[in-house]
Amino acid sequence: MSSNRSSTKILGFINEDTSSWAVAALVFSAGTVLTALLALANVEGYQRQLRQRFDLLAAERVSRIQDRLEGQLRRLDSLRRFFVYSDDVSEQEYNGFARPLLTFTQAYSWAPKVLDNDREAFEKSARDAGVRNYSIRELDGVSSLAVANRRPVYYPVRFSQSRSTLELPLGFDVNSERVRQETLERAIWTGEMAASPHMNLVGLETENSKGILLVAPVQSRPHPETSSLGALQGFLVAVISLHKMMTEGLPLSAEDNLNLTLEDITGAPESDVLYQSAANAAASDLSITKTLNFAGRIYQLKVRPTSVFIGANPSSNDSLVILGALLSFMLSALLYVLISQRQRALRMVEQSTMQLRQREQQLRTAHSQLRNVLDAATQVAIIATDMNGLITTFNIGAEKMLGYDSSDICGVRTLCELHLPSELAAHVNELSQRYDRVVDTVEVMLIEAVQEHGHQANDWTLVRHDGSHLQVNMQVSPVLDEHDQWIGYLAVCLDITERKRVEEELRTMSVTDALTGVYNRRYFQERLQAEVFRVEQYGGMFSVVMLDIDHFKAINDQLGHAVGDHVLQAICERLCHRLRRSDVFCRLGGEEFMVLCPDTDSDQAYGLAVELWSALRTQPVDGVGRVTASFGIASWREGEGADALLLRADSGVYAAKMAGRDRIQPESS
């Protein structure tokens, strides 16, 4: 006994005679040093992770603000082109076009050019058109308006479409105040849109009264034989509340992760703060600064984290230190107990031997109970195989699910024989390529249990006894013996037929219009972007055909929305029969539809539009009569984006409407 004790070493290197206190102290000291090193590395990793998360959030917010500024330019430009290409715009037409554009914009106004000699006639024409007490006015103080003094030229607000509930500032002369006048002069000089400095806005609530003006000069349509611009007709003005634009649709200040500061640095080194987030910036070195160019102004957007962001990304360093100290203490205590209780452990060996014998008996009992559990699991198919895939266990759930009797399966058939052959062959090819070796058919359903340590579950199609197919989710795990050696595999299968059916229904609902059954706007946008990418990468062509049902509002108003829905359904059913398999037909919304035509040039798209137009007008809709539509066509041009293409198609529809409806507007060269 003494000889054995002198030669035995704990853990292979600690002598039993060594002081347990000395070993515990040494281990605790080593653990403390290791914990300090890990804590230092964790601090560096935390800072990198915090920077990555902040950069991701900040880049997304900067991109969103930049998109909103660019959207202001696009919408005002579309309104300007509406004026340029219209002979005369009435107030009703203006309101109808400008109202849908009020996105992150407080108001759109039309300020025509009026000479002093024409002032009285202009004011009278406005009053005759229904604007009571209309006169050209200017600011009298901070926000009140008074009759304007005489000056050579006025740019009074004639039409205005606003999100504000306050009285519209009709008649306000944009040329009556110095800052606004300088902005107009800059737009005239450059011939392009111009943004004003930060100013007090007219006709808006107090919380939205600080902002900028974006003005676009409107020239008369140039003569076809000359390239020079026409005479200045006036200005279109977008009234932008920076507070509204920077906060609308974004998290509340108490919940926002980011602090934003927008400054106008056009007149650097002096700068003007245009917007400052209500949420205070946290004390941190994290920040991103982005310079934005907006209609002749230079803005600087600075993004910093708030306390909400810091709180949502806490450091785990304190926990690591505590855990390291705790583990060090526990390990030292463990070694102390191990050494000091060596003799007790020797006595426990004998007790453990007796317990193992009892455990062996318990395992025999458990095996019998497990057999009963397998038979009781009637909703789950449990199939066990040997190393060659030959089935050795086939529970009652498997019998009910697949229609086989266990006596006809066990020891006779392999698991892969129950599988759909075509799906099995495809998976064999996939796994052979993945593991760069030939995968045998027998092991195709079992190899992933080895590679993924038994945690990989896959969807398979099994063949029932009657030949029908069953979709299951199968998880294959290795079966180990007492020496941890593989002796077979255990497959647990769940019937997922109903789940697959629901998933397919949900996928269909996500890409189709609920009323008409044709594709929806979301699916069309995805296909359009894919088609633009295809032709940019590999060449080719495609076109879009846009149609808008004529007088559809009158149908809804006079006959009711149920009849309007019936008209939309009948039109979709009729047009679908005239489309090719490759065409993508979708409903953009309301009475507006779009056809995406891959590998189709302008002439072919026009021919398709003629067929659709003819199909609509030649056959009346039950209960309504003949229903017509206005068509616009646009073919992709090299370097053109999706938005520009759709805008040209929309312009074609608008031109067809203006020309009398029930017609096709050919694509302009």
Side-chain angles (χ1 to χ4, degrees), residues 96-162:
F97 193 95
R99 186 178 298 109
L101 302 180
L102 290 173
T103 303
F104 307 117
T105 308
Q106 296 306 300
Y108 285 103
S109 299
W110 163 238
K113 179 179 179 180
V114 179
L115 300 178
D116 187 52
N117 294 335
D118 302 327
R119 173 173 177 172
E120 286 75 16
F122 174 79
E123 291 174 338
K124 183 178 184 303
S125 66
R127 289 192 293 269
D128 292 342
V131 184
R132 297 179 57 189
N133 301 323
Y134 183 91
S135 61
I136 298 178
R137 299 180 291 174
E138 63 185 13
L139 285 173
D140 180 16
V142 178
S143 60
S144 60
L145 297 176
V147 176
N149 294 322
R150 288 284 180 175
R151 59 181 63 90
V153 180
Y154 309 89
Y155 294 100
V157 175
R158 178 63 184 86
F159 304 146
S160 184
Q161 187 63 221
S162 174

Side-chain angles (χ1 to χ4, degrees), residues 406-426:
S406 61
S407 60
D408 299 330
I409 292 293
C410 294
V412 178
R413 305 187 68 170
T414 62
L415 184 57
C416 65
E417 292 176 8
L418 302 179
H419 199 281
L420 185 66
S422 59
E423 187 179 58
L424 189 62

Side-chain angles (χ1 to χ4, degrees), residues 62-80:
V62 169
S63 176
R64 183 176 295 188
I65 298 303
Q66 194 167 14
D67 286 345
R68 292 185 177 184
L69 289 173
E70 292 173 356
Q72 298 286 356
L73 298 174
R74 290 195 300 270
R75 289 188 291 273
L76 188 59
D77 184 62
S78 69
L79 187 57
R80 180 189 64 80

Side-chain angles (χ1 to χ4, degrees), residues 8-242:
T8 303
K9 292 183 179 294
I10 302 174
L11 299 180
F13 64 92
I14 301 177
N15 195 296
E16 285 186 341
D17 297 331
T18 303
S19 170
S20 58
W21 284 107
V23 173
L26 180 62
V27 170
F28 185 81
S29 299
T32 301
V33 173
L34 180 59
T35 300
L37 294 176
L38 289 176
L40 181 61
N42 183 66
V43 168
E44 296 177 355
Y46 168 74
Q47 293 297 332
R48 287 195 301 270
Q49 185 182 53
L50 196 65
R51 164 59 69 178
Q52 292 172 353
R53 292 179 180 176
F54 171 76
D55 288 348
L56 184 63
L57 283 175
E60 187 274 338
R61 185 65 61 86
V62 169
S63 176
R64 183 176 295 188
I65 298 303
Q66 194 167 14
D67 286 345
R68 292 185 177 184
L69 289 173
E70 292 173 356
Q72 298 286 356
L73 298 174
R74 290 195 300 270
R75 289 188 291 273
L76 188 59
D77 184 62
S78 69
L79 187 57
R80 180 189 64 80
R81 285 186 285 108
F82 172 70
F83 268 78
V84 170
Y85 292 103
S86 298
D87 295 329
D88 188 19
V89 178
S90 66
E91 184 173 5
Q92 182 179 4
E93 291 173 335
Y94 174 84
N95 292 337
F97 193 95
R99 186 178 298 109
L101 302 180
L102 290 173
T103 303
F104 307 117
T105 308
Q106 296 306 300
Y108 285 103
S109 299
W110 163 238
K113 179 179 179 180
V114 179
L115 300 178
D116 187 52
N117 294 335
D118 302 327
R119 173 173 177 172
E120 286 75 16
F122 174 79
E123 291 174 338
K124 183 178 184 303
S125 66
R127 289 192 293 269
D128 292 342
V131 184
R132 297 179 57 189
N133 301 323
Y134 183 91
S135 61
I136 298 178
R137 299 180 291 174
E138 63 185 13
L139 285 173
D140 180 16
V142 178
S143 60
S144 60
L145 297 176
V147 176
N149 294 322
R150 288 284 180 175
R151 59 181 63 90
V153 180
Y154 309 89
Y155 294 100
V157 175
R158 178 63 184 86
F159 304 146
S160 184
Q161 187 63 221
S162 174
R163 298 170 66 181
S164 173
T165 58
L166 301 180
E167 181 182 359
L168 297 176
L170 298 178
F172 172 60
D173 181 14
V174 185
N175 198 37
S176 63
E177 188 264 336
R178 182 182 59 81
V179 176
R180 291 175 171 84
Q181 185 181 53
E182 291 175 354
T183 304
L184 298 181
E185 291 174 351
R186 181 155 49 90
I188 295 173
W189 182 73
T190 61
E192 298 177 348
M193 284 183 275
S196 72
H198 200 204
M199 63 169 57
N200 290 322
L201 304 176
V202 178
L204 297 180
E205 292 82 358
T206 303
E207 63 271 17
N208 297 324
S209 61
K210 295 290 186 179
I212 61 173
L213 296 181
L214 179 63
V215 299
V218 178
Q219 282 91 6
S220 60
R221 193 183 311 171
H223 193 275
E225 297 179 359
T226 177
S227 60
S228 61
L229 295 175
L232 179 66
Q233 300 297 305
F235 288 91
L236 285 166
V237 183
V239 182
I240 304 171
S241 168
L242 291 173

Side-chain angles (χ1 to χ4, degrees), residues 424-475:
L424 189 62
H427 207 60
V428 166
N429 183 58
E430 176 188 346
L431 291 180
S432 298
Q433 294 180 0
R434 183 192 303 177
Y435 299 114
D436 198 23
R437 68 179 181 86
V438 178
V439 177
D440 189 81
T441 306
V442 176
E443 64 173 334
V444 65
M445 299 177 65
L446 309 175
I447 187 173
E448 291 180 338
V450 180
Q451 300 293 336
E452 304 295 340
H453 305 289
H455 298 294
Q456 181 71 22
N458 290 307
D459 294 344
W460 298 91
T461 303
L462 302 183
V463 181
R464 293 190 178 98
H465 186 264
D466 60 2
S468 61
H469 296 168
L470 174 69
Q471 290 185 309
V472 299
N473 181 266
M474 179 185 296
Q475 179 170 337

